[in-house]
Amino acid sequence: MSASLSKPSHSAKPIRKAVFPVAGLGTRFLPATKAMPKEMLTVVDRPLIQHVVDEARAAGIEHLIFVTGRNKGVIEDHFDRQVELEATLRARGKDDVLAELEKQLPGPGTTSFTRQQEPLGLGHAVWCAREIVGNEPFALLLPDVIVQANGTSCLAQMTAAYKQHGGNVLAVEEVAPEETDRYGIVSPTDPEARERVFSIDGMVEKPPLGEAPSNLSIMGRYILQPQIFDILSSQEKGAGNEIQITDAMKTLLASQAFTAVQYEGRSFDCGSKVGFLAANLAFGLAREDIAPELRTQIMKLI
């Protein structure tokens, strides 16, 4: 651990709630997303949003908060019971499939849905969840990004760091220096420290090439203190003429500690076509039931 990291002065409140911004239009996947939310596109046999929810639940999250928009009702249906389907599976003796569905189903009263109503940016989407989150720290997971972890899930690695250091926690990963202008980049307090958990003293959204403070990008997983909502309530629009969560975090950084976790695993940006296809291949090859035949088909195509 970096010597610049300090222990929290009191025990950190547990992370019980997670926010999932799912109001985006998915224009990069038209026409597939004309009538179906992009979050319901499948990686192998699970929707993107299911992969991200599974990661959150594996980290101990108890309450799932979805910030939705128009035409997103199918996401709510996905996390609800389907009595007719369950009856059909039971009648056909497909008990293993039924058990898998029940295992993935959140418990009664553990999901909440709220509308963003206007596409004003990620920061605004997070602010829309303020009444449901309340005055407690929370996790924020972007459904466009799914993680193939090496053992422990990405968010679980972050909650472990949070329990030790408190404050706010960001997942980061290395990107090529020539790509830093495409991401939010963090500035380590001690640039020479190579530990996977370290403190940061700055962050910048899409810095010009050659001006990035590091090659460590913010990956799409956050643990944030509730004071972020007060900042977001008056946050001015930034890049893309939208309310940016990075801008609000930079303000919060002036009064609260931020820790970065260079997580163990691999992320896939499923907001891009290539990233989505790569995720399907990677997760498919990790499945014992389909990997051999998938590998054969890949070799035929190559």
Side-chain angles (χ1 to χ4, degrees):
M1 295 294 172
S2 171
S4 59
L5 283 171
S6 59
K7 299 290 183 64
S9 58
H10 54 81
S11 58
K13 290 184 178 179
I15 307 299
R16 301 188 310 110
K17 299 178 180 179
V19 175
F20 305 87
V22 294
L25 297 176
T27 54
R28 286 186 285 179
F29 279 89
L30 287 170
T33 51
K34 182 179 179 181
M36 179 176 67
K38 64 177 180 178
E39 296 83 9
M40 293 301 294
L41 296 173
T42 56
V43 171
V44 187
D45 54 5
R46 294 168 183 255
L48 287 171
I49 189 62
Q50 183 71 60
H51 284 277
V52 182
V53 164
D54 289 347
E55 178 187 337
R57 295 178 69 188
I61 294 297
E62 302 170 6
H63 193 149
L64 312 171
I65 303 167
F66 300 88
V67 182
T68 71
R70 287 178 289 278
N71 300 320
K72 299 283 185 168
V74 67
I75 296 176
E76 188 168 353
D77 291 340
H78 177 73
F79 291 105
D80 198 1
R81 304 198 77 94
Q82 293 195 19
V83 178
E84 297 84 356
L85 174 62
E86 293 174 5
T88 299
L89 291 173
R90 194 173 291 109
R92 294 179 179 177
K94 295 185 177 293
D95 295 335
D96 54 340
V97 178
L98 183 60
E100 182 65 20
L101 289 177
E102 290 180 343
K103 184 176 70 174
Q104 296 173 10
L105 193 68
T110 62
T111 58
S112 296
F113 295 81
T114 187
R115 287 288 187 100
Q116 185 179 11
Q117 297 177 324
E118 295 181 82
L120 298 179
L122 175 59
H124 181 261
V126 174
W127 180 76
C128 289
R130 66 197 183 281
E131 296 294 339
I132 305 174
V133 173
N135 188 32
E136 60 182 284
F138 64 99
L140 170 63
L141 298 92
L142 306 191
D144 279 356
V145 180
I146 63 173
V147 181
Q148 193 172 44
N150 293 340
T152 307
S153 75
C154 177
L155 186 61
Q157 294 175 50
M158 295 172 65
T159 55
Y162 169 78
K163 289 177 182 177
Q164 185 172 3
H165 303 291
N168 305 269
V169 182
L170 308 178
V172 300
E173 62 185 7
E174 289 187 344
V175 297
E178 63 271 19
E179 296 179 353
T180 52
D181 62 332
R182 295 163 47 186
Y183 302 96
I185 303 295
V186 301
S187 174
T189 302
D190 181 1
E192 301 302 319
R194 299 305 301 170
E195 292 85 353
R196 285 193 171 272
V197 179
F198 55 91
S199 65
I200 63 175
D201 57 15
M203 62 191 81
V204 58
E205 183 69 22
K206 299 180 180 179
L209 283 177
E211 299 181 19
S214 74
N215 70 330
L216 295 167
S217 71
I218 303 171
M219 187 276 292
R221 300 289 187 270
Y222 315 73
I223 291 174
L224 298 170
Q225 295 295 322
Q227 288 75 22
I228 196 76
F229 293 122
D230 293 332
I231 297 171
L232 287 169
S233 67
S234 58
Q235 179 68 52
E236 295 182 358
K237 293 181 179 179
N241 200 33
E242 295 181 337
I243 298 173
Q244 298 290 344
I245 192 69
T246 303
D247 293 337
M249 291 192 300
K250 288 167 65 176
T251 302
L252 188 59
L253 182 61
S255 59
Q256 292 186 5
F258 273 73
T259 299
V261 175
Q262 191 173 350
Y263 68 96
E264 296 185 40
R266 180 183 180 186
S267 73
F268 297 89
D269 177 9
C270 293
S272 74
K273 294 182 178 71
V274 172
F276 175 72
L277 293 171
N280 269 280
L281 291 175
F283 278 79
L285 290 171
R287 288 269 298 265
E288 293 182 1
D289 57 333
I290 62 175
E293 179 61 22
L294 177 58
R295 191 173 290 109
T296 298
Q297 294 299 325
I298 292 172
M299 295 308 298
K300 287 181 180 180
L301 291 172
I302 293 175

